[in-house]
Amino acid sequence: MKQVLIYLVLMLSAAFLPAQQEASLLPRYKIAINDGWSFSKGESKPAEENGWAQVDIPHSWNTEDPFEEERGYYRGVGWYRKVLNTNTLPSKEKAFIYFEAANQHAQVYVNGKQVGAHKGGYTAFCFDISEQLKAGENLLEVRLDNSHDPTVPPLKGDFNFYGGIYRDVYLVLTDEVHFDLLDHASPGVYVSTPSVDSAEATVELRGTVVQQAQETAEAALRVIVRNPDGKTAGTFSRDISLKANQNTFDWQFSVQQPTLWSPDNPALYQLTVQVLDKASSQVLDEIVQPLAFRWFRFDPDEGFFLNGQALKLMGTNRHQDFPGKANALSNAEHWRDIKMIKDMGANFFRTAHYPQDPAVLQACDRLGLLVTMEIPLDHEITDSLAFYENSKAMMREMIRQYHNHPSIIIWAYMNEMFLGRSLERDSAWMEKIVAFARELEQLTREEDPNRYTMIPNHGDFEVYHGSGLTQIPMIVGWNLYYGWYSEGFEGFGKYIDQAHEALPDKPLLVT
């Protein structure tokens, strides 16, 4: 928390320095622009200033109406706007607007021109607004729609689809040379640890540096690894030639005698990745990412192993809403929930049924919770190309945006897809779902071959196994309700024993 506060103080103080001072201070600025927005519910924007409500982000327009006596709640259009004065900002060549999430169809405008659109309410999106910004005051506008859309999951679920810009919004300022922010709103650098033990760990970096000048420039990449105490554990450098547009890199190096991460000892390192001008050694861009050294495996007979030791996974699911706030929680409130889960003795956490706030994953990294994260493909699909493409885009966004969080060990997709269906009556429809599961499985393993995949199912074993869905993911999850919808807790053991006998090669989780 001290590190976070120091960073915020430095970031805020730097934002108010004169432009001529700041260019030499920081290679990148990430400035929260949550305060001072105006909001209007409905398709038509009010012409008068008093027709707008004054709000701060995070914000939802469904804080009360889902819980009123009348059935239903507002699902439609809302407008947000904010005046941004660039004269108060650092002087940089590139400007991006970054939304951690907004539900669910966003169209973003700068000074009346649309700069981008995004479908999906649970992943981030980022647009380059460098050309649209001008000196002085600029009008940012967001048209947001949380209406039911048959092309966008979730189509149904046991949670509300609140509308609003309910996570943080940032303005990111960089030099012309920078790590790729437009790679599905990811950090632009992917960190993995393909080989780890207590003596040595291999760190692999993949990423993209963007340079928009036409001539080739000679640059260098530098990585600084800091241990959990903040001390430098290693510095690594290599040269790179930057051609026009995108420049990809793939790089491995080793860290000696790493402290291993676990729920009992969440030893979190820090990875600073820089791109430098080779001639002057000036840092052109810099990002900081979490790093942890751990290895894990699931065994269908013996269970889960972390760092070579058996570990019984115990945890909970969590939705992101709160009374009086809908899903528009502060980072501190997200941290409070994760701290509560950790304090109750859990070591495992399922983000049912959607990617959750970045603060949630930061808390899991720091506090020591292992995570399974999933997209909101819940119960239903629409048999259309648009739905399939939006679902795959959501999966890819989730993996790339959250890839560097070491707490994540499973990527999941689909939840209880055959609830209320039978093999005899619905076989044709179920075949479509199984075929789409194969596509998502292939996409996930290509994006991240180092983590496991999972589909959680409800308790009708015959329908899932008979359809072939249980054969697709690496792990099969079971949502079992003994002691809730079914009497008696003894049903858990009997069900899992039977499922394991039928699926001897699949690790099973009660999800």
Side-chain angles (χ1 to χ4, degrees), residues 136-157:
E137 292 189 343
N138 295 261
L139 180 63
L140 308 180
E141 294 179 294
V142 181
R143 181 189 183 275
L144 201 56
D145 190 349
N146 72 328
S147 301
H148 175 78
D149 184 339
T151 71
V152 180
L155 302 179
K156 63 183 293 188

Side-chain angles (χ1 to χ4, degrees), residues 51 224 378:
I224 304 167
D378 195 15

Side-chain angles (χ1 to χ4, degrees), residues 39-46 52 59-62 65 73-80 103-107 109 142-148 161-165:
F39 168 72
S40 175
K41 187 166 72 172
E43 180 64 72
S44 300
K45 293 183 289 184
W52 294 80
H59 175 264
S60 171
W61 62 66
N62 293 126
D65 59 344
Y73 57 98
Y74 180 72
R75 297 191 67 182
V77 175
W79 281 90
Y80 292 85
N103 200 35
Q104 71 176 345
H105 184 194
Q107 296 166 280
Y109 301 82
V142 181
R143 181 189 183 275
L144 201 56
D145 190 349
N146 72 328
S147 301
H148 175 78
F161 310 138
Y162 305 107
I165 305 177

Side-chain angles (χ1 to χ4, degrees), residues 222-241:
R222 180 167 65 196
V223 173
I224 304 167
V225 179
R226 292 184 174 87
N227 67 22
D229 295 327
K231 298 178 180 178
T232 300
T235 301
F236 310 89
S237 299
R238 59 170 286 188
D239 294 340
I240 182 172
S241 293

Side-chain angles (χ1 to χ4, degrees), residues 59-364:
H59 175 264
S60 171
W61 62 66
N62 293 126
T63 55
E64 304 297 336
D65 59 344
F67 312 100
E68 295 171 351
E69 292 288 335
E70 185 178 348
R71 181 178 177 84
Y73 57 98
Y74 180 72
R75 297 191 67 182
V77 175
W79 281 90
Y80 292 85
R81 71 180 190 182
K82 176 183 176 64
V83 175
L84 181 69
N85 192 332
T86 57
N87 292 343
T88 65
L89 297 174
S91 178
K92 287 290 182 181
E93 295 167 306
K94 304 294 292 182
F96 302 85
I97 191 165
Y98 186 97
F99 295 81
E100 287 184 340
N103 200 35
Q104 71 176 345
H105 184 194
Q107 296 166 280
V108 181
Y109 301 82
V110 177
N111 296 324
K113 181 176 180 180
Q114 184 171 324
V115 295
H118 181 262
K119 284 190 175 183
Y122 304 93
T123 47
F125 51 99
C126 181
F127 305 124
D128 186 344
I129 59 173
S130 309
E131 298 300 319
Q132 285 71 43
L133 288 182
K134 57 182 173 47
E137 292 189 343
N138 295 261
L139 180 63
L140 308 180
E141 294 179 294
V142 181
R143 181 189 183 275
L144 201 56
D145 190 349
N146 72 328
S147 301
H148 175 78
D149 184 339
T151 71
V152 180
L155 302 179
K156 63 183 293 188
D158 60 347
F159 54 101
N160 292 330
F161 310 138
Y162 305 107
I165 305 177
Y166 70 95
R167 293 183 190 165
D168 297 325
V169 184
Y170 293 95
L171 186 69
V172 182
L173 306 176
T174 72
D175 287 330
E176 195 74 43
V177 176
H178 55 273
F179 295 108
D180 190 3
L181 284 86
L182 302 182
D183 178 12
H184 298 82
S186 73
V189 174
Y190 303 100
V191 183
S192 57
T193 52
S195 174
V196 176
D197 59 37
S198 57
E200 182 180 64
T202 300
V203 180
E204 181 180 52
L205 290 185
R206 296 180 293 108
T208 304
V209 178
V210 176
Q211 190 222 199
Q212 287 163 337
Q214 293 303 308
E215 63 274 8
T216 300
E218 297 304 316
L221 294 172
R222 180 167 65 196
V223 173
I224 304 167
V225 179
R226 292 184 174 87
N227 67 22
D229 295 327
K231 298 178 180 178
T232 300
T235 301
F236 310 89
S237 299
R238 59 170 286 188
D239 294 340
I240 182 172
S241 293
L242 299 178
K243 301 176 182 177
N245 299 318
Q246 295 184 330
N247 300 267
T248 60
F249 61 88
D250 194 330
W251 183 18
Q252 287 191 352
F253 54 87
S254 297
V255 174
Q256 304 301 312
Q257 297 181 315
T259 302
L260 301 182
W261 185 98
S262 70
D264 290 335
N265 182 37
L268 193 63
Y269 286 66
Q270 187 183 79
L271 197 71
T272 301
V273 188
Q274 300 172 329
V275 56
L276 301 88
D277 178 84
K278 189 175 180 181
S280 66
S281 297
Q282 178 187 350
V283 179
L284 303 175
D285 196 14
E286 174 183 284
I287 60 171
V288 179
Q289 295 294 294
L291 173 66
F293 299 105
R294 80 286 182 268
W295 74 94
F296 56 89
R297 66 180 178 93
F298 285 89
D299 185 277
D301 293 313
E302 299 181 14
F304 177 72
F305 291 79
L306 179 67
N307 302 330
Q309 302 296 315
L311 179 65
K312 183 178 180 179
L313 296 177
M314 300 178 291
T316 185
N317 299 263
R318 182 248 189 191
H319 277 302
Q320 63 184 7
D321 49 2
F322 195 79
K325 294 197 170 188
N327 55 0
L329 274 65
S330 69
N331 289 342
E333 288 167 318
H334 288 299
W335 271 77
R336 177 205 60 205
D337 277 5
I338 302 308
K339 181 70 162 54
M340 188 187 304
I341 293 171
K342 178 69 176 182
D343 287 347
M344 78 180 191
N347 57 22
F348 192 51
F349 166 52
R350 178 184 174 205
T351 67
H353 297 287
Y354 38 76
Q356 298 195 5
D357 193 287
V360 169
L361 277 299
Q362 292 164 10
C364 292

Side-chain angles (χ1 to χ4, degrees), residues 483-504:
W484 188 348
Y485 297 133
S486 304
E487 288 189 18
F489 292 108
E490 63 276 1
F492 278 108
K494 181 179 178 181
Y495 188 100
I496 292 298
D497 285 344
Q498 292 175 342
H500 178 55
E501 184 178 356
L503 294 166

